[in-house]
Amino acid sequence: MAASETAKDLALRHAFGNVLSFFILVLIGVLAFSIRLFSVIKYESVIHEFDPYFNYRVTQNSCKGKKIMLVEEEAVFVCYLCLEEEVDNELIGNVYCSIIGIRLTYVAGDMDLLWFQFLTKNGIYDFWNWFDDRTWYPLGRVIGGTVYPGLTLTAGTLWWILNSLNIPLSVETVCVFTAPVFSSIAAWATYLLTKEVKGTGAGLTAAALLAMVPSYISRSVAGSYDNEAVAIFALIFTFYLYIKTLNTGSLFYATLNSIAYFYMVCSWGGYTFIINLIPMHVLLCIVTGRYSSRLYIAYAPLVVLGTLLASLVPVVGFNAVLTSEHFASFLVFIIIHVVALAYYIKGMLSPSMFKVAVTLVVSVGLVICCAVVAVLVALVASSPTKGWSGRSLSLLDPTYASKYIPIIASVSEHQPPTWPSYFMDINVLAFLVPAGIIACFLPLSDASSFVVLYIVTSVYFSGVMVRLMLVLAPAACIMSGIALSEAFAVFTRSIKFQLPSLSGVSQVDAGNSDSGSAATTQTEAVKADKIEESTKERPSRKNRKKEKETVEKPSVKSRIEKRLLVLPLESSVIALLLLVLLGAFYVVHCVWAAAEAYSAPSIVLTSYSHDGLHVFDDFREAYAWLSHNTEVDDKVASWWDYGYQTTAMANRTVIVDNNTWNNTHIATVGTAMSSPEKAAWEIFDSLDVKYVLVVFGGLVGYPSDDINKFLWMVRIGGGVFPHIKEPDYLVCWRIVAMLSFDRICCVIRDGQYRIDSQATPTMLNCLMYKLSYYRFVETDGKAFDRVRRTEIGKKYFKLSHFEEVFTTHHWMVRIYKLKPPKNRIRGKTKKSKSVRVHYLFSMTRRSSPLLSHNSSSLLSICCFHSLFGRKLAQQQAQKEVEQERIPGIKPIILETVVTPGLCNTYFPNRHDDRTKRLQSLLIL
Amino acid sequence: MSTLPSFLNPNLEKSQRRQRKKDEVYSARSAAHSNRRYTVFPGSIGSTYLYNRYPCWLSVCDPFLQIDLASQIVRIATTLKVENAGSDPVSEVLFAFPDHQAKNLALLVATTTEGKGKTKSSSGSLPIEAVHPEGMPPALTWYTVSLPKGLGKGESLTLDMMAVFSHLLRPFPEKITQGDIQLVVFQDSAHYLSPYEVKRQSVRVKLPEPKVESYTKLENTKFSGSEITYGPYENLPSFSYSPMAVHFVNNKPFAVAKELVREIEISHWGNVQVTEHYTLLHDGAQSTGEFSRLDYQARPQVKGASSFRNLVAMLPPRAHSIYYRDEIGNISTSNIYSDSTKTLLEIEPRYPMFGGWRTSFTIGYGLPLHDYLFHSEGKRFLKIFFGCPMNEMVIDNLIVKVVLPEGSSDISASVPFSVKQGQETKFSHLDMVGRPVVVLEKTNVVPEHYQHFLVHYKFNSLSLLREPLMLISGFLFLFVACIIYNHADLTISKSSASYLAKLQWDEVQASIQQVLNIINRCIATHDKVEASLRDLSRTGDAQACKAARKAADNLLKELSKELKPLLTFLQSSSQAVQILPKVEELVAKERELQDRIMSKHSTVVDCYEKKSSGRDFDNRVAPIQQKITALRQEVDDLIEVIDEI
């Protein structure tokens, strides 16, 4: 009777505990979701950042049945492309442009949204084969092969499910809320992982910590539709399944693990972290003599299945077996088989026989290994970067980037973090992590050793690159969860143990039995009660739940430890209080970070002044203007930062965008921006650009404008086109010294970037300067730039090749139109005439066999081509002229007089100025 | 303004009575499209086109035309008195507009005012029909107004005509720069164009500003303030026409919605949600050249005179949850002023609208249902405004969609003017069959179309509960499915070895758990015994201590009894082979621990009773205590080991 009753009681308590932890998990999910909604509540439900608009565009326009180009990567790629590597968007995320210390947040959700829209409309196969001609004009971009489709597919599935349930959420809404939803799921995955390592209490604590860790919030606020949002979930879940497999030895979980790994590969380039960390752990286990069949089951299927699955993702493809990032896993795969064989043979043979066998196997194995390694090394060494991508190299050698790729160095996200950024991003967790590591060693299991390895490696990587703080955050949460949970367990246990039976404790503590006085016990009991109450009212759920867990725990274990670790009542009470304070501080910090630091969308800016809130919605003003008041086929040139947004919000073709896979192209735009007006006009005209967009913050003091980024345009442009030289744009110290001869303090300014009257003439005549400051002086009469805090150097000038067509309310975005070329004046433009003639010819020759002597048809074909991609053809023509492949055609064309009427016959519906241009072109 | 084309041949004025013939009625549309150019009426036709049906012995006295050009919409209000000069009663009156006006005619309303001037009683609008009398000059479009009752001989009637035209003002020049003002041309006849003789008439043209570039100067033309008056002219023959043109400054917003989709969604939970999607165009003179924000900000009145910055929407009172956004998000430049009679929504597009610039946006608001939904004869009907709430906006193509709740039937819409009706289905939140949508389309809509229309339908209130019930049952099924899944045994082969082994293993685990429970209780009893010892040291009550020991003894015996069947089960079970030794060891150790504790207890009590010295006490108890501690440690370890299995 009694036994069954206790069993029932126990079962009930178990059930109660389960229900309780279920509710706590639900609440954690709600917390993780809602803490990320500040951006939506304070601003609105839009994709917030510059980059996320790419994805949005894909989805949207494809819904209209229009194919658009997907572009999703970002600045970082510039670097990689410098290395001439394949596209890799692992580094999408917040890029802090470090020019003049200004921080710019980029999140790459845009583009994901666009893909997603495309996906929802056209299905997966069209998605893979999608060629987007809206970006990187005139190159275009193959989407399927250049994006990590995980996020897009995820959101697409969500959208599809909702819509098939007749819940008509818009694509945009789904995209905005994907990140918060997935951070909830990531919190649950953290719970699972930590539970596998250290039990439910630690799991719940870690989940609560992760739900609000600022580092993760920064990438997953509502509206940042970003790869990292789902990738962190995938990362944690993959680790959980690995540990689960390791603990159970179940092949089922091993298979799930491979699938989770596949999802991670789909989502983020950071999957290489997994495929290196797990082999490291396996190796660690083997070395420390922890090899078991469970380890084999956890690892071998993952490598085989995981690699096969990973190579299904078009972006990864053969990289899954070809690049050095994956070699560690294969090497360990071999090692684990050798070890497995060794254990197997050991079981079969007698000890003496085994010794013989060992020598045999070791010698043979060594030879084979050497051979394999040699082959691998040879293969790897044959590739220019030794098989390592620039990112990985800069990870392994922190100085690599700054030494070889200045553009990588330019992105401050790739700089080592500063101490404040640790405090900002993981806050008190930084102090709890060491305690967690210690707790993991008591006792050390396979799982806890994995977590220790995880935190150690991620600390290293985060020390190399700021953005990898994101990988550190879950590890720190797990460790701190373990630490907090253990600490609470110890303290509450001490209190609980001392409260009901004070003397019992003292008996065990030997000798103290008689000293305990009832009076003190009484007061302490009251105190402890109070504490228990106060802990229940704690702001964060995490502490309460953990404490409940420990109290609830019916296990015998706690009983044992109870006897082992009992702390004095007073100190445990105080320690508990302090821990609660620490937790409260963490919560306050996280909420602040979520509300203030990370929720401001870069697309809408706000400022508070004495007369209330000011909204700077200039970006959208400009994009809306572009989308409604320009032709659909017009090309817009801007610095790549605004590429995604222009394609997504303004729906116009751009020259370069945040997926910076082609450095030359970016350099062309950079060169144009840093050239004088006429040269810039020619470059833009050759790219068929019709509008040029610049961002100018001088009027309202918006610091991350194009003038502040201008030096990078010069550098990147100069990297490809040597006639652009950075020193030309910088004030050299000698000049400064001359100008300020009587002021010696100024002499030390060497190579300073400035736009005031001391700036170099090159600087003052470049296109970017002119477009930014055009008629700026008339605003206040002095032309005082509020960002640079100086008066500008050249105040009065006119534009001859560009005209202002739109400027937003706060002048933050200025759009200029290329003026049509002036009518040709006879005799003056001889050179260009011949070029045009050749161009006409070459186009005809290439396109039609009837080029021969029927000059009118020839010209009509020429005209036709001149309307489509004239400049490209022109270049080709020039080339052919140089090669002298077109003899005799020049006279023919020169003799032909084409009347404007001919043009009209062929292009009655053409746009006016185009026709005009054509006419001027044809009347030779 | 002599350069302007003359529309009608002056000969026309001289044309006299015409022969009558029957004619056919054409639709207004085909008439409007018949000819775009202003052809000259040949005099010969003029004499042959009136028939029985449209007797021409009416004469029109004192028509007074008021042409309102104050905005982009042209409103021509005509007050005229019709007299029957013939013998037969007349029931219809003919009106004509030149084609170029008629094709832009948005609304034509005629009312009569009966009585003699002072005791006016408006009898509502009269039916108007577009007709196409045969033989008439093709550049005119004809309408007949049916009089409420036949007009007998010598009787007269006062008619009020209101014609509203959109797109009638032509910007001239068509392209202007940012700093230019917008000039528009209006062309009409200074004489009242009528098939009847006109006794005396005058025209008054009202302009938005007292600035006129030029205007046709005829006899009796007066220009004062912002008004131009032509006339009075007396005794005009039928079809007299005197071209008149005004070229004037009009900087009023030429806001034209190329398309407006209004979606009115009824929720019987108490809300009418209105969503309006605008595609807006500034239809005035095209803006060319540079747009300088500097100039615009410095002197908006001069350098942006032709542009408009904001629009005002007059929403119904008690409108709530108003939003204003476009496809890329919220637009922050809007204001709301509301009182009990109206809600004024002032919105600014993202950028100032210059000529030819376009934009698109969406506004939405909710209205309380009970203000707009009524019952009659077992049916419900929605009574809500048709047109657009924006001030002085022309809508080229208006689509009104009324989304009725799911399950509505017998749907019919009645609109006071002709519209194209259709039906479609919309799927919204959790719909099964979709919601019926009444689609009403109308082109060329002006603010005068902001009138009530009705949508009748039948709806059972119980259908309201459909969706909540669906949700509830959905979750119920989900939970039930979970419960069933948890309780059902989904094993395919119930006789397979692994399945049986699993069952056995479960039993073994359960019994091991029980064993552990019992051991735990034993340990708890030990603690009690220890506690009684402490009590002893405090109170000195040896009897109580002994009693406690006895009770503990009994309890332990009971527990060991309970333990026996479990152990025998474990021994018999094949699955427990691995764990059995541990369990047995645990039981043995526990028993030893029991003995030790009892012996310690008896020793302590013994010492206490004998009042032996502290050192003696220590000597006797200490070794036992050591063993107890060691044993306890072992037991704990064992428990932990077993627990982990």
Side-chain angles (χ1 to χ4, degrees), chain B residues 410-445:
Chain B
D410 277 353
I411 302 156
S412 64
S414 59
V415 189
F417 24 79
S418 70
V419 293
K420 194 173 140 199
Q421 293 201 14
Q423 273 215 18
E424 54 187 46
T425 311
K426 181 192 174 186
F427 284 89
S428 185
H429 296 278
L430 299 172
D431 284 346
M432 302 297 283
V433 294
R435 309 181 178 198
V437 182
V438 180
V439 184
L440 308 169
E441 281 185 57
K442 179 158 177 55
T443 53
N444 212 357
V445 179

Side-chain angles (χ1 to χ4, degrees), chain A residues 246-548:
Chain A
L246 201 56
N247 282 349
T248 57
S250 148
L251 206 52
F252 171 68
Y253 284 112
T255 319
L256 281 189
N257 191 16
S258 308
I259 293 170
Y261 172 68
F262 173 56
Y263 183 62
M264 177 70 190
V265 179
C266 281
S267 316
W268 200 31
Y271 74 91
T272 46
F273 182 64
I274 296 184
I275 204 60
N276 283 306
L277 182 62
I278 290 180
M280 277 168 76
H281 178 245
V282 171
L283 204 59
L284 185 78
C285 285
I286 292 172
V287 167
T288 53
R290 286 174 165 272
Y291 172 81
S292 64
S293 56
R294 287 177 287 114
L295 186 70
Y296 182 83
I297 287 185
Y299 186 65
L302 174 69
V303 171
V304 178
L305 277 179
T307 307
L308 282 177
L309 288 172
S311 54
L312 290 181
V313 182
V315 201
V316 180
F318 279 108
N319 290 349
V321 286
L322 286 183
T323 54
S324 304
E325 281 94 342
H326 304 82
F327 284 167
S329 62
F330 299 134
L331 197 66
V332 173
F333 188 66
I334 296 167
I335 292 173
I336 199 172
H337 277 94
V338 171
V339 173
L341 191 69
Y343 273 82
Y344 177 67
I345 291 169
K346 193 178 180 182
M348 284 206 314
L349 302 177
S350 63
S352 56
M353 285 288 282
F354 181 66
K355 265 186 187 170
V356 179
V358 165
T359 41
L360 192 72
V361 167
V362 163
S363 49
V364 174
L366 269 183
V367 170
I368 294 172
C369 280
C370 286
V372 170
V373 167
V375 169
L376 288 184
V377 166
L379 272 178
V380 170
S382 65
S383 79
T385 55
K386 310 277 181 284
W388 291 85
S389 66
R391 178 188 65 245
S392 312
L393 277 180
S394 56
L395 267 184
L396 296 176
D397 174 9
T399 60
Y400 177 85
S402 51
K403 261 189 276 180
Y404 300 105
I405 322 165
I407 307 171
I408 286 193
S410 78
V411 182
S412 76
E413 202 183 32
H414 297 166
Q415 307 283 0
T418 52
W419 286 113
S421 70
Y422 274 100
F423 186 75
M424 175 69 196
D425 276 359
I426 56 174
N427 201 246
V428 301
L429 306 187
F431 310 113
L432 291 171
V433 163
I437 294 177
I438 292 170
C440 279
F441 279 97
L442 303 169
L444 188 71
S445 64
D446 289 349
S448 60
S449 67
F450 176 77
V451 182
V452 171
L453 196 66
Y454 177 22
I455 185 89
V456 170
T457 46
S458 61
V459 164
Y460 169 73
F461 287 136
S462 74
V464 176
M465 242 188 225
V466 178
R467 75 192 309 276
L468 289 180
M469 198 79 97
L470 193 61
V471 178
L472 170 67
C477 287
I478 292 167
M479 279 305 173
S480 315
I482 291 171
L484 269 181
S485 163
E486 294 286 314
F488 268 96
V490 168
F491 296 136
T492 50
R493 194 191 308 126
S494 324
I495 292 172
K496 187 187 165 206
F497 188 65
Q498 290 173 62
L499 282 185
S501 53
L502 183 81
S503 43
V505 183
S506 36
Q507 170 90 23
V508 178
D509 287 347
N512 291 346
S513 54
D514 302 313
S515 62
S517 85
T520 52
T521 326
Q522 207 61 16
T523 51
E524 274 163 12
V526 173
K527 243 192 233 168
D529 274 347
K530 271 185 195 159
I531 286 150
E532 290 229 321
E533 275 165 23
S534 73
T535 51
K536 268 174 194 160
E537 287 160 9
R538 238 168 281 159
S540 79
R541 259 164 249 109
K542 64 176 194 290
N543 299 332
R544 186 184 56 184
K545 115 212 114 202
K546 150 198 358 120
E547 167 202 271
K548 281 257 170 78

Side-chain angles (χ1 to χ4, degrees), chain B residues 133-167:
Chain B
E134 207 173 275
M136 291 284 191
L140 292 180
T141 307
W142 295 89
Y143 298 91
T144 60
V145 174
S146 311
L147 300 178
K149 58 182 182 193
L151 208 58
K153 187 187 175 193
E155 286 179 324
S156 68
L157 184 76
T158 308
L159 275 176
D160 285 321
M161 302 282 299
M162 176 69 166
V164 184
F165 301 91
S166 60
H167 301 295

Side-chain angles (χ1 to χ4, degrees), chain B residues 480-495:
Chain B
V480 166
C482 285
I483 291 170
I484 290 174
Y485 176 78
N486 274 337
H487 285 75
D489 189 351
L490 296 179
T491 315
I492 296 165
S493 154
K494 306 238 169 185
S495 56

